Amino acid sequence: MDLESRDLISMNDLSREEIDEILDKVPEVRNHPHKRLLCKDKVAALLFFEPSTRTRTSFEVAMRNLGGIVGGFYDANITSVVKEESLWDTVKMHDGYGFHIMVIRHPLKGAARLAAEAAQVPVINAGDGPNQHPTQTLLDLYSIRETQGKIDGITIAMVGDLANGRTVHSLTEALLKYESCNLIFISPRDLSMPRFLIDKCKKATAGTGVSFSEGSRIEDYISEVDILYMTRIQKERLKERTAAEKFRSIYRLEAAMLKDAKPHMKVMHPLPRVTEIAQDVDSTPYAYYFQQARNGLFVRETLLALILGAIK
Ligand code: CP
């Protein structure tokens, strides 16, 4: 695998073999004896046009842990974007200042791909609207492998706003590359998985033995899943903000609901959570979301080291 200088915009930019190799590299980078020298003098531009806690902070800490530094912005409202500077020109400017890599989050689908066309240096998509969030998916896959010992053959329920949640879109695309996964999509009808992804699942059933189903009640599936992947209602992407309140009251996981869960089952969530996981779940052995977010630091360190050519 050679990831040096490559963009990472979509999970479809990576083969299954490449994904597995990235995940295999995580312990090597995490425990590297000369970690602080791996990306010494490299500079990453973090271009965040949308709010973020985990993705931005973990990329920043990852770069620091590798000996590099970061620049860019975390709030487009204090940049010349407010003077109507285009995304293309914003990226061109950062390219000209000698950054070695760009990490971009933007509210519009396709923005990261456009940024990659404008930039000479590699671009990592840190989330483009409701479309894709590939680094979240890599840390999700890493977390699945850590907790289940495998990815092939897992049963996973994805719950919540499957229409607008980019993490579940990326994760579905990735799991279709593995063998015999059982995907269960649980959402209100208005927030169901986009049809193009359902069509991809249908095609994959013949190829990789994936099976999938759609449902509307978490309780119907808790006893059969290995991973319960909760997501929040993406209020900022709904036309009617009041609809978010209606959907929120439907999907709420509480500790008492986990009584029939398999012993190794883990509750994951890309975070932030709002009301969909009650706090009493945190102290159960099933809660994995904070560890999952922490894994993001190690996975992003590995990605930066690979793309910046510090390791092969
Ligand atoms: N999971 C995730 O992308 O979190 P942030 O929005 O806080 O970066």
Side-chain angles (χ1 to χ4, degrees), residues 46-50 72-94 104-108 111 114-115:
L46 306 186
L47 311 182
F48 276 65
F49 294 80
E50 260 195 345
F73 54 84
Y74 310 138
D75 179 359
N77 288 319
I78 55 163
T79 72
S80 288
V81 170
V82 293
K83 300 175 220 162
E84 300 186 43
E85 185 159 39
S86 67
L87 173 61
W88 183 272
D89 287 0
T90 305
V91 170
K92 282 278 178 209
M93 285 300 101
H94 284 80
I104 181 167
R105 170 170 288 190
H106 198 282
L108 292 181
L114 183 75

Side-chain angles (χ1 to χ4, degrees), residues 13 21 41 88 92 120 123 140 146 155 167 177 188 216 223-224 246 257 260 272 275 285 287 292 308:
D13 295 342
E21 284 184 52
D41 299 330
W88 183 272
K92 282 278 178 209
Q120 301 284 325
V123 171
D140 291 343
E146 283 289 286
T155 294
T167 65
K177 297 174 193 284
S216 58
S223 65
E224 67 180 90
K246 183 181 78 183
M257 294 162 69
D260 295 325
T275 55
Q292 176 191 354
L308 289 169

Side-chain angles (χ1 to χ4, degrees), residues 236-247:
E236 69 277 27
R237 304 194 205 287
L238 292 182
K239 284 194 187 81
E240 251 190 272
R241 296 285 163 108
T242 49
E245 304 310 322
K246 183 181 78 183
F247 293 131

